[in-house]
Amino acid sequence: VTVLPPYVRHDGGHWYLGTANAVYQNIDFVDQFDPEYVLILSGDHIYKMDYNILLDYHKEKQADVTLAVIEVPWEETHRFGVMITGKHNEVLEFQEKPKDEDAKSNLASMGVYVFNWKQLRKFLIDDEMDNQSNHDFGKNVVPKMLEENYKLYAYPFRHYWKDVGTVQSLWQANMDLLHDNPELDLYERDWKIYSVNPNQPAQFIAANAQVKQSLVNEGCQIYGSVETSVLFQGVVVGEKSSLKDSVIMSSTKIGNNVSIERTIIGEESIIEDGCTIGQPGEGQEGITVIGENVVVKSGKTIPGGVEMNIDNCHEFGCIPHNIGEEGAETK
Amino acid sequence: MRDVLGIINDTDIQHKLKDLTRARSTAAVPYGGRYRIIDFVLSNMANSGIKNIGILTQTYNRSLLDHVDSGKEWDLLSKRDGLFILPPTFGYDQFTGSLGDVDHYYNHLDYLIRSRQQYLMLSNSNIVYNMDYRMVQKYYEEKNADIVLIYKNVDLSEKNSFRVLSLLIDNNGQIRDMAASKEKRLSPAIALEIAFMKKTLFMQIIDDCIARGYRDFTKDGLIKNMDKYRIFGFEHKGYASKIDSINTYYKHSMDLLKPEIWKELFFSHGNIFTKVKDEPPAKYQASADVRNSLIANGCLIAGTVENSILARGVTVHPGAIVRDSIIMQKGQIHRGAVVENAILDKDVVVTPGKQIRGEKAYPLVVEKQAVI
């Protein structure tokens, strides 16, 4: 794996201006491998796909571009680029984020593309020259190729797929894993999801703890109750604390008598004793977010829907981790 | 401690670990849900800054070799020094010894000679503890000692089914008498079979033993030389347990369910490292009821688990009950099955409705891959 960040060059260089521009800026890198095909993916999607099958499909159809598509509810078509396809899954027309009443299809592009590199290379260069372009695959490059009568095919994907670009969808994707038989199976032995795995001991579930319908990771210590929640590594849940419908990231410590609902908490935050976070109420339906490295002082009540981080936590009477008024706070 | 060579002795055959050591050495016996026993001493050495470590192994070493691999998890994958496996050079079962075996050491003297380190940290592979060895070296220098033995004070009423090295230590910390015996106790101090000395002194002791036909490092190398060398005792005040039988394995594994011991062992002087696997989080279904247990990642729990240790990838189906037991990797406990006071080795399947019961004082051991 090679990470390709934007870099400084003779003209000074600049940030990636769009998805297509990001690849354009790395044409030389791709050329080194002289590939026949290029697979373009997004980093913020949750799904399991065997790209071999996608590529075989691309070859079988002798396509110029293959786009993976998934059926979405009609009321959500306005969030996606949708494809109108023919009998053989050939793409006839493309609508980028159509208004609900205008949508002619609910086959949404997943942002997973197979291109023939030589063609894509040419289109990327042309697109770069086009001042009107947003330099985006979905908005510019793909429609342009369709316009010029290239052969675009849709590859229908029928398994779990989630774009987690918003707080709500990230939270939902986590909750989706908690059913007894979730659509996305993390436990398939021959299709593991690999990650960086920190070195932590097995999780400890205390005698008075209760853990139900949850995912819990190594290094966690649970003394309270955890229900329909996802806990990353090294999270501590104190005695008589209760956690519901929440996602707690690595090394966050939750004290005693704390109650948390529908909340995402970032890494290494501290929730002191007696806090109440994310309780539902009038106008408080949203998911509560506590950023990383925040200390929620004891006894605080944080209403549902609040988004707190180290920059605005003072407004809620909380402090960033390690720079407390009385000096360092590390416990 | 770059100037210290680490030697881990895994040549002792712990016959009383029965089925657990049928196909693996003591060092490679799974422990605490995701570790092997050797991880403790190996991590102690790595955390103390020892960069050159040799492991003396026995014949059944596939499992150990697979586990330690290149040593990269302990940061020992390096062009200079690193991790060395010192395989047996003769039928290992011809000898029984306690603190290492003179013949084993002698056959690997070459490794000692070629190592650049001046000092030697020696430890048996079957001790579960978290310790900063730098304190030992400091003590060695302070006392101007020739050898430092690490000991622990134990309850004199505690019975041991094995030979232990009992110590009598004077006020200055110097060891004045030693006895290797099952029953004889000179004081509450028991050596943990961990020693620190100069490499050249160690080689000299081995050489002296070989020259006189002696084979037991403890009796011949240490006890007989008590007046010749300044041997000091360094007390390990923290937790330490020696795994030498099914009973000690079971009892000390269950010690991990005490949060203070769990914390001390895994977080006090540095982390305990192990071979990391890509496992998803442990999943607790709506019907799960888990209490006072250690659960590793990759477990799927829909039944009841109490006072138990579940290793990676264990499945407990709805209505199954696991109590006071240790279930190693990928065990499957099916619907309605009951497992009590038992140790299930890797890949054991307990089919629906079956009951496996041992006694607390005599836990039942089920061998690898058994289907019940």
Side-chain angles (χ1 to χ4, degrees), chain A residues 177 179-180 187 189 192 194-195 197 199-207 212-218 221, chain B residues 34-35 257 262-263 272-274 276 278-286 288 290-295 297:
Chain A
L177 296 170
H179 302 294
D180 278 1
Y187 296 82
R189 287 272 162 217
K192 283 192 175 189
Y194 298 109
S195 181
N197 291 280
N199 222 310
Q200 292 267 341
Q203 54 200 262
F204 176 65
I205 312 295
K212 283 186 195 300
Q213 246 186 302
S214 294
L215 291 175
V216 182
N217 270 290
E218 275 151 358
Q221 300 171 54
Chain B
R34 68 193 301 268
Y35 299 92
L257 297 178
W262 184 84
K263 280 178 199 163
I272 303 300
F273 298 95
T274 189
V276 166
D278 281 272
E279 289 284 355
K283 183 165 185 184
Y284 300 79
Q285 308 278 53
V290 181
R291 275 159 213 278
N292 195 36
S293 294
L294 277 182
I295 312 289
N297 273 18

Side-chain angles (χ1 to χ4, degrees), chain A residues 283-331:
Chain A
Q284 302 174 1
E285 293 80 11
I287 304 300
T288 310
V289 180
I290 311 281
E292 54 186 31
N293 290 310
V294 172
V295 180
V296 179
K297 302 298 281 178
S298 61
K300 285 272 178 270
T301 297
I302 310 294
V306 163
E307 294 193 11
M308 188 203 290
N309 54 45
I310 49 170
D311 297 320
N312 73 355
C313 62
H314 296 281
E315 297 167 26
F316 302 93
C318 300
I319 55 168
H321 197 176
N322 279 339
I323 33 177
E325 297 115 40
E326 306 100 58
E329 186 142 8
T330 46
K331 264 216 165 151

